[in-house]
Amino acid sequence: MTKITIKETQNPTILKFEFEDFITQNQSFEFKNIDEAQASPLAQQLFYLPFVKTVYISGNFIAIERYSIVDWDDVKDAVAEQITSFVDKGGVIIKVDENKAKKQPITVYGETTPNPAALKFVVSRMLTRNAVEYKNIDQTASSPLAQELFKFPYVKEVFIDENYISVTKYEINDWQEITLELRTFIKQFIENGGTVLDESLIQTATKNDVTKDEAFDKLDVTSQQIINILEEYVKPAVAADGGNIAFDSYNEDDKTVKVILQGACSGCPSSTFTLKSGIENMLKSMLNDEAIKVEALNA
């Protein structure tokens, strides 16, 4: 039997009816009337209820906006029972477009990171060669996946590199409450042909990445040595923790190396220790210069 959980929203006229599993494939639907709802036999049935104004279907829920002729307390249980009965009898929630490409099965699993606010979702195929970080939805022009992830209210930052996606959350939710939802969404998004990254648009998102060949050749010898050390010895270690480190600058006068911490490394409580006891000591030793200091621009 289908299990439905009724949840209130910030709008008192809208109620959510949540399923245990996802009911749509990376799509959201909004129906204002029965004629618009031809793609959803369930929504069409709901519109026979005189108080139903709008039906939203997305992710693992159906949200219904009511007219003011009733209160939700009087009808919500009956609506939940109607949805449950419809689905259990084999009713179609959303008609599937048979012309769409078949799924390309992948596996996605979550890994903890040293940053308690960040989780690393590892995908069973390569996603990109370019590390990209998004601090908000306005920066996500190059990543439809990141754009969709920011629609989850608890997602604070998204970082994508190689075969993984690091998600940093706000404190409003614990990981045990949201990990399955995020993992399932990422898996379904990729399997159904969603674009993780549009490589042609990544350049604007990685304008601070000075490890590109054209910029590398213009740097002084010490800066080049620092970049090579970071690339060879540091990046693989921080990537394993769902993060990235990018060279920003080197000041020859005060021997200060500035780096950018991304993904799970950004804001991590242990990042200061990593910088001072790990990276700084490594650079001092390998460059034979005890005066070198390392600072993070966004640790």
Side-chain angles (χ1 to χ4, degrees):
M1 181 176 176
T2 302
K3 181 180 178 182
I4 299 287
T5 302
I6 302 173
K7 289 191 176 182
E8 296 180 352
T9 69
Q10 293 181 344
N11 186 336
T13 67
I14 298 177
L15 208 61
K16 288 174 69 174
F17 299 85
E18 291 191 351
F19 291 73
E20 291 183 297
D21 298 311
F22 277 62
I23 57 176
T24 64
Q25 305 296 325
N26 310 317
Q27 291 179 293
S28 297
F29 302 87
E30 178 179 343
F31 306 112
K32 294 290 188 181
N33 55 59
I34 196 169
D35 292 331
E36 290 184 0
Q38 294 183 17
S40 174
L42 173 55
Q44 285 184 317
Q45 177 170 314
L46 290 171
F47 275 114
Y48 284 110
L49 299 171
F51 55 83
V52 172
K53 182 179 180 181
T54 310
V55 177
Y56 307 89
I57 302 178
S58 180
N60 69 329
F61 69 86
I62 295 169
I64 300 175
E65 181 181 11
R66 62 169 175 81
Y67 286 107
S68 57
I69 58 175
V70 298
D71 291 326
W72 273 122
D73 287 340
D74 297 329
V75 298
K76 62 183 181 182
D77 291 331
V79 173
E81 289 177 10
Q82 183 167 328
I83 294 173
T84 299
S85 176
F86 179 90
V87 174
D88 287 344
K89 290 178 180 178
V92 176
I93 299 176
I94 290 290
K95 295 179 181 177
V96 178
D97 185 354
E98 298 295 338
N99 294 322
K100 284 191 173 181
K102 291 184 177 180
K103 281 188 177 183
Q104 299 295 321
I106 62 166
T107 58
V108 179
Y109 64 89
E111 283 187 357
T112 57
T113 75
N115 185 350
L119 199 66
K120 176 183 177 182
F121 293 91
V122 182
V123 182
S124 60
R125 77 179 194 204
M126 182 63 68
L127 301 175
T128 180
R129 298 285 182 185
N130 299 282
V132 189
E133 184 174 43
Y134 304 100
K135 297 288 188 180
N136 55 63
I137 196 169
D138 293 334
Q139 300 176 347
T140 58
S142 61
S143 176
L145 172 58
Q147 192 170 74
E148 291 301 314
L149 287 173
F150 274 111
K151 293 179 181 178
F152 291 96
Y154 45 75
V155 171
K156 182 180 181 182
E157 297 175 12
V158 177
F159 175 76
I160 304 173
D161 191 15
E162 296 185 344
N163 68 326
Y164 67 89
I165 299 123
S166 285
V167 176
T168 302
K169 69 175 181 65
Y170 288 104
E171 295 181 359
I172 57 172
N173 290 93
D174 294 327
W175 279 119
Q176 61 186 15
E177 300 172 332
I178 60 177
T179 298
L180 178 60
E181 182 177 35
L182 283 175
R183 186 187 70 80
T184 303
F185 178 81
I186 292 170
K187 174 178 169 65
Q188 291 187 348
F189 183 94
I190 298 174
E191 282 185 339
N192 286 284
T195 300
V196 176
L197 282 173
D198 184 339
E199 301 288 340
S200 67
L201 299 176
I202 289 179
Q203 185 60 39
T204 56
T206 56
K207 60 185 178 183
N208 291 325
D209 185 359
V210 296
T211 64
K212 302 296 182 183
D213 292 341
E214 63 271 16
F216 182 85
D217 293 338
K218 298 178 182 178
L219 295 172
D220 60 272
V221 174
T222 302
S223 293
Q224 292 180 347
Q225 290 176 322
I226 292 170
I227 290 173
N228 287 332
I229 292 171
L230 293 177
E231 290 286 331
E232 185 173 355
Y233 297 101
V234 180
K235 280 196 174 187
V238 296
D241 288 333
N244 185 49
I245 184 168
F247 174 84
D248 180 79
S249 63
Y250 170 66
N251 188 315
E252 293 187 41
D253 296 328
D254 61 9
K255 303 297 181 82
T256 298
V257 179
K258 291 186 178 181
V259 296
I260 300 170
L261 298 182
Q262 298 175 313
C265 295
S266 179
C268 177
S270 62
S271 61
T272 300
F273 177 82
T274 301
L275 284 172
K276 296 299 179 183
S277 299
I279 301 171
E280 187 173 285
N281 288 342
M282 180 183 295
L283 291 177
K284 286 179 178 179
S285 174
M286 299 187 76
L287 297 176
N288 196 27
D289 189 343
E290 289 295 320
I292 285 181
K293 297 174 293 185
V294 176
E295 294 180 3
L297 297 182
N298 59 343

